[in-house]
Structure formats: structure tokens, C-alpha cells
Amino acid sequence: MTGMTTDAGDLRELTVGTGAGLVAGTGGEQLGTDMVLNIGPQHPSTHGVLRLRLVLDGERVVSAEPIVGYMHRGAEKLFEVRDYRQIIVLANRHDWLSAFANELGVVLAVERLMGMEVPERATWLRMALAELNRVLNHLMFLGSYPLEIGAITPMFYAFRERETLQAVMEEVSGGRIHYMFNRVGGLKEEVPSGWTGRARAAIGEVRRRLPDLDNLIRRNDIFLARTVGVGVLSAADAAAFGASGPVARASGLDLDLRRDEPYLAYDQLDVPVVTKTAGDCHARFEVLLDQVYASLDLAEQCLDRVDRLTGPVNTRLPKVLKAPEGHTYAWTENPLGINGYYLVSRGEKTPWRLKLRTASYANVQALATLLPGCLVPDLIAILGSMFFVVGDIDK
């Protein structure tokens, strides 16, 4: 992209794209002017196809505008032409790191509208799998975030633990990313014989090896220098932007739907909510890391409960599934934050409307507040610490 200069009295603004020179013109006359820099929509420093429009004064960010929509796939409209069995395959893809949790939100909305009771064994299996999915999501960011600011080794440790848990998830569902294991009324099928024991062994193995990753990065001097005091998001700003999940809890917002608005059987568990008050990049990383320990414990408790329960894991449904006329809103504590589904039915086999409220969309808005005042090298540290998935923004 070529450079372009505009004059307005004494004001000079230089707009360049990535790959263009900082001085786009003859001589050095543009030095000292504000520069508008477009990072993206395709750039290795962003998680997918996001565009940031930055105004820079030298190496300091003056203002930032996150521009979304480059991955928009129209999921909400596609829901309207697929029946309640088919929409699950679409729902688990907007945040591809939280597929099981996404499926769960959809089926909970449909079950709530139909007034359907789900077998108890299915409820506890759902919770166990949701917590394992939460750990898988967090491990991806715990490996990729240090990588973005120069530390490659944590990625190998994080993926070692991911593979251990992925094997368990793949055995039970047949999928490694898009599990497609939830169904309206329960789960697709009973888990394989002995699976809970193998899942418990995998959890124990990950818990035993997790300190390798923890000790490697949490108190690393270089990592601390890049993250402590950088990208501070206050609790007031987090609430104003509708931030949730680890991003909000790192700023001191003590909110977790599993404890505060319990769904499934979370009200029967003591859910530990990990919070910090610093609100900086390091606090967000620490919340994610500590949440892994908590979720491993919760998953193990759910598996213990599953072993004590017998009975079916799904409900017999009619050949054509129709939700009664009405509307409902189901929200869940997804790995990245609050995920909501607003379902409107006109008594047909397809939703009349299914609106998504995704965690990443709300969280990424805070970049407009976080980035101004920071240096360009800190921009990547802040961007990565928001733990978003672009498909979850654009839906």
C-alpha cells in the first residue's frame, strides 16, 4: 500500500499500510507528523482477520479503532434456515476453541423453551466435558500468548497438556475441535466403558505436569517486564464495555455465571472464581493459568458424580423437533466469558431468530481504551492478552 499525505493548515497526517515505509515521500518532511497505521486486516500479530486503525505519534499510540467484520459468516441468519439439530454444527464454530461450550448454550436455550428435563447423568457429563473444554481453550492461549512476545518454549508445554486432554475428548466424541456431542435433551450417546477412569487419569497427569509451564513463565523476568503494568483495564471500564470472563476478572470484576446464575448443576458445586485486581496483561495471564487448576478440579468432581449415577444420557425426541412459540435467553460462562443465545420461536422446526452474544465481541471493544498511550511494541502484548477468537467477534 502506498503512502498518502494530506494538508490541513499546519496539520499533517500520513496514512500508510503495513509494509510501507515510515517516510512515504521525498526528504524527511513527514517526520514528527501523526501517522495513521493500519494493522491488518491480514497481519501475523493479530488472532485471525482483525484490523486495527492506529494513530501514532512516533512509536506511541494516540488512538486506536478496532475494525471488525472481515470474517463475518452470517451465522445468525444461517440458524434461521436450519432445524434445531442442524444449528448445533454451526454454533460450535464461532469460537472454535470453545466448541463444546457453544453447543451447550444452544441446546440449553431450546430445552428451556420446550420445558424439557434432561437426565441427571447427562447433566453431570456435560459439566465434566465443559470444564475439560475450558482447560483446552486456556492452554491454547497460555502457549500462544508468550509466543507472541518472544517465548517459544511454553507452546510446547501447553500443547503437551492439550494433547493429553484432546485424546480424552476425541475418544468420547470422535472430534478433536468440533465435538458435536450435545443434543437437545442430553448427549449424543453414552460414553465408552471405562472412559471416566481414563479421563481422571488424564486430568491427574495434566495437573502433575502443569507446574512445568507455570514455573517457566509466570515469574520469568522478561515476561514480567513485557506484561506487568502494561494494558491496564480498570474494573469500571471492563464493566462499561461489557467485558466478561478472565479479562474482566483480572480487573477485579467478580462475576462468574457458574456461581452467580448457575445452570446445569453448578449450584451443587463450590465453584472457585479466580480474580485479580491489577487489570494488566500479567493479571489476565495469571487468571487464565489459575483457572486451569480450578477447572481440572471441577472436572474431576463431575466425573466422580457421573460414576455414581446410572440411567440414560438423552431423551427420546420426535422425528421432527419443533420448539413452541415463544422466546428465551440462555447464557453460559464460556471459557472466554459470557456467551448468550436469544432464541425466538414461532412454533416451527427452525428458529425464527437466534441472536448470539459472544464474549470476544464485548472484550475486544476495550482495545479502544487500552491501546492509546502505549508503545507499538506493547501493542502486541496487549492485543494477545485480550484472549479473543476473531470468529467469536464476527460470528
Side-chain angles (χ1 to χ4, degrees), residues 106-346:
V106 170
V107 297
L108 285 176
V110 180
E111 289 163 2
R112 186 171 298 172
L113 198 57
M114 297 182 70
M116 183 181 294
E117 284 288 331
V118 176
E120 190 179 9
R121 182 172 169 84
T123 296
W124 285 94
L125 273 170
R126 280 177 170 181
M127 292 165 61
L129 292 166
E131 292 306 317
L132 290 175
N133 190 199
R134 190 183 312 277
V135 174
L136 286 168
N137 173 291
H138 290 0
L139 283 171
M140 172 62 80
F141 287 109
L142 292 173
S144 67
Y145 180 50
L147 180 66
E148 288 164 4
I149 52 181
I152 190 172
T153 311
M155 181 65 94
F156 300 122
Y157 285 93
F159 266 73
R160 179 185 66 179
E161 313 315 334
R162 273 179 59 86
E163 283 304 310
T164 301
L165 295 177
Q166 285 283 31
V168 168
M169 297 293 281
E170 186 175 7
E171 181 188 0
V172 75
S173 67
R176 286 175 59 83
I177 297 179
H178 303 303
Y179 305 107
M180 277 301 295
F181 199 58
N182 277 289
R183 295 292 186 273
V184 175
L187 296 171
K188 175 187 174 186
E189 58 195 7
E190 181 56 85
V191 297
S193 176
W195 176 82
T196 55
R198 291 187 290 277
R200 201 177 286 105
I203 290 170
E205 193 173 347
V206 171
R207 186 188 287 116
R208 187 172 60 255
R209 298 188 310 207
L210 196 58
D212 293 345
L213 175 64
D214 195 328
N215 297 333
L216 183 70
I217 196 69
R218 190 195 294 254
R219 294 297 167 212
N220 180 279
D221 288 341
I222 299 174
F223 187 71
L224 289 171
R226 293 296 307 274
T227 57
V228 172
V230 175
V232 176
L233 178 67
S234 68
D237 284 340
F241 281 109
S244 58
V247 169
R249 290 195 287 272
S251 297
L253 282 187
D254 190 5
L255 172 66
D256 191 310
L257 295 183
R258 295 172 297 170
R259 180 198 63 194
D260 302 327
E261 292 278 346
Y263 52 97
L264 296 175
Y266 277 112
D267 56 338
Q268 299 180 41
L269 292 177
D270 181 16
V271 179
V273 179
V274 181
T275 60
K276 303 288 180 183
T277 55
D280 58 9
C281 294
H282 193 263
R284 290 189 280 274
F285 181 85
E286 278 197 304
V287 167
L288 219 62
L289 185 53
D290 291 338
Q291 181 64 59
V292 169
Y293 292 104
S295 289
L296 289 172
D297 291 342
L298 287 173
E300 196 164 43
Q301 292 175 45
C302 293
L303 290 171
D304 291 342
R305 189 66 172 264
V306 168
D307 283 341
R308 298 198 299 267
L309 294 170
T310 57
V313 295
N314 47 41
T315 305
R316 183 177 292 275
L317 299 174
K319 194 167 186 178
V320 177
L321 182 64
K322 293 183 178 181
E325 189 170 342
H327 61 92
T328 190
Y329 181 67
W331 58 351
T332 58
E333 186 68 38
N334 265 34
L336 297 182
I338 294 175
N339 193 65
Y341 293 92
Y342 179 58
L343 171 63
V344 183
S345 171
R346 289 189 169 177

Side-chain angles (χ1 to χ4, degrees), residues 55-130:
V55 177
L56 303 179
D57 179 8
E59 285 202 37
R60 193 166 297 279
V61 178
V62 177
S63 66
E65 179 188 3
I67 302 172
V68 304
Y70 291 95
M71 284 187 70
H72 180 57
R73 292 165 290 174
E76 293 176 335
K77 300 306 288 183
L78 292 174
F79 289 148
E80 297 173 13
V81 292
R82 283 162 173 78
D83 66 36
Y84 289 109
R85 293 180 174 91
Q86 294 169 328
I87 58 176
I88 299 171
V89 75
L90 288 173
N92 70 17
R93 281 165 164 75
H94 57 85
D95 174 2
W96 44 80
L97 296 178
S98 310
F100 188 88
N102 297 341
E103 300 170 13
L104 183 59
V106 170
V107 297
L108 285 176
V110 180
E111 289 163 2
R112 186 171 298 172
L113 198 57
M114 297 182 70
M116 183 181 294
E117 284 288 331
V118 176
E120 190 179 9
R121 182 172 169 84
T123 296
W124 285 94
L125 273 170
R126 280 177 170 181
M127 292 165 61
L129 292 166

Side-chain angles (χ1 to χ4, degrees), residues 72-76 94 355-356 358 361 390-395:
H72 180 57
R73 292 165 290 174
E76 293 176 335
H94 57 85
K355 169 69 178 172
L356 298 184
T358 61
Y361 183 77
V390 179
D392 204 39
I393 301 170
D394 292 345
K395 297 174 282 190

